[in-house]
Amino acid sequence: GAVVSQHPSRVICKSGTSVKIECRSLDFQATTMFWYRQFPKQSLMLMATSNEGSKATYEQGVEKDKFLINHASLTLSTLTVTSAHPEDSSFYICSARVGGPNEKLFFGSGTQLSVL
Amino acid sequence: EDQVTQSPEALRLQEGESSSLNCSYTVSGLRGLFWYRQDPGKGPEFLFTLYSAGEEKEKERLKATLTKKESFLHITAPKPEDSATYLCAVQGDGANNLFFGTGTRLTVIP
């Protein structure tokens, strides 16, 4: 299957700092990538849809000024958590869509963010 | 509004003890129902996509089936390495993304 690489896998930062998470599609071009957030023992909640060359579409309740998404190329999307606070601590996962008649999503390995 | 309910929330099986996981869904126009496996601290790993009622797919010890209201993930003679959280998700007509259930945490005891 397609490979989605996400980096870093784990990050610990101080409150008030910004953290950037990268998501790359390694062997295919992804015009659309998705960013999810997952709290312990809960399901994946979609935060935003990242479209190459255009602004991201955010889900209701997600602050676009706090979670900055950039999708500058067909293989790279980034999520920057700005001025992080302890309540932003979570598991963030990106995914990329492989289209066509058997459309499916492939996920990155996730980033565990801990804000102290 | 799309809705996905997975049951049971957690399941413990002895090695070799077959069972089924349930995913009940409500969606306006099903484009696809997806099953993923997620290990702790990892992203979901794609297993199956089902598109229409009556469809079945198999992979090793796993078999997924679909009706108009629910999907089952049957696991036959599970092994400890099958221990993981199994996530079900649906994509409806006009939707760009998947809507996930909360998953079933499967533990297979040797």
Side-chain angles (χ1 to χ4, degrees), chain A residues 1-2 12 20 31 47 67 72 79 92-93 102 114 116:
Chain A
I12 301 172
K20 180 185 281 189
T31 54
M47 297 176 66
F67 299 99
L79 168 67
Y92 293 87
I93 311 174
N102 296 310
S114 299
L116 305 178

Side-chain angles (χ1 to χ4, degrees), chain A residues 32 34 36 38 41-46 49 51 59 91 93 97 101-110, chain B residues 31 34 36 38 41-46 49 51 57 87-88 91 95-103 105:
Chain A
T32 304
F34 303 90
Y36 290 83
Q38 186 178 34
K41 297 186 179 181
Q42 295 188 22
S43 191
L44 283 74
M45 297 300 296
L46 181 67
T49 302
N51 299 298
E59 295 299 300
F91 192 57
I93 311 174
R97 186 171 64 187
N102 296 310
E103 179 178 295
K104 53 178 70 80
L105 284 186
F106 290 95
F107 286 84
S109 55
Chain B
R31 277 177 62 183
F34 301 77
Y36 287 86
Q38 187 177 24
K42 301 291 184 182
E45 175 189 340
F46 173 79
T49 310
Y51 296 99
K57 288 192 177 174
L87 298 170
C88 171
Q91 184 177 17
N96 201 28
N97 58 283
L98 302 187
F99 186 86
F100 281 84
T102 53
R105 295 191 307 279

Side-chain angles (χ1 to χ4, degrees), chain A residues 17-23 34-35 37 47-51 54-58 62-72 76-84 88 92 94 113:
Chain A
T17 61
S18 294
V19 174
K20 180 185 281 189
I21 303 169
E22 291 189 351
C23 180
F34 303 90
W35 287 95
R37 182 172 179 173
M47 297 176 66
T49 302
S50 170
N51 299 298
S54 64
K55 291 183 178 180
T57 303
Y58 290 82
V62 178
E63 299 176 59
K64 61 181 180 181
D65 294 330
K66 180 166 188 62
F67 299 99
L68 300 179
I69 291 173
N70 183 278
H71 194 155
L76 174 65
S77 176
T78 61
L79 168 67
T80 301
V81 183
T82 62
S83 186
D88 299 323
Y92 293 87
C94 72
L113 171 63

Side-chain angles (χ1 to χ4, degrees), chain B residues 1-5 24-29 68-69 90 99:
Chain B
E1 182 179 308
D2 296 348
Q3 194 165 2
V4 176
T5 304
S24 297
Y25 66 91
T26 303
V27 65
S28 58
K68 289 185 177 180
K69 295 182 178 180
V90 297
F99 186 86

Side-chain angles (χ1 to χ4, degrees), chain B residues 1-108:
Chain B
E1 182 179 308
D2 296 348
Q3 194 165 2
V4 176
T5 304
Q6 289 188 248
S7 62
E9 185 176 314
L11 180 63
R12 289 172 65 91
L13 299 174
Q14 289 291 135
E15 184 172 1
E17 179 186 1
S18 302
S19 188
S20 297
L21 283 56
N22 177 263
C23 171
S24 297
Y25 66 91
T26 303
V27 65
S28 58
L30 181 70
R31 277 177 62 183
L33 184 141
F34 301 77
W35 282 99
Y36 287 86
R37 167 191 172 131
Q38 187 177 24
D39 292 299
K42 301 291 184 182
E45 175 189 340
F46 173 79
L47 294 174
F48 304 107
T49 310
L50 300 169
Y51 296 99
S52 58
E55 189 175 0
E56 297 183 353
K57 288 192 177 174
E58 285 188 71
K59 179 181 179 181
E60 296 179 355
R61 294 178 291 281
L62 299 176
K63 178 181 175 180
T65 61
L66 180 66
T67 72
K68 289 185 177 180
K69 295 182 178 180
E70 59 192 350
S71 176
F72 289 94
L73 184 65
H74 305 279
I75 180 161
T76 303
K79 297 181 178 181
E81 53 262 40
D82 295 322
S83 297
T85 295
Y86 290 85
L87 298 170
C88 171
V90 297
Q91 184 177 17
D93 268 342
N96 201 28
N97 58 283
L98 302 187
F99 186 86
F100 281 84
T102 53
T104 293
R105 295 191 307 279
L106 175 65
T107 304
V108 182

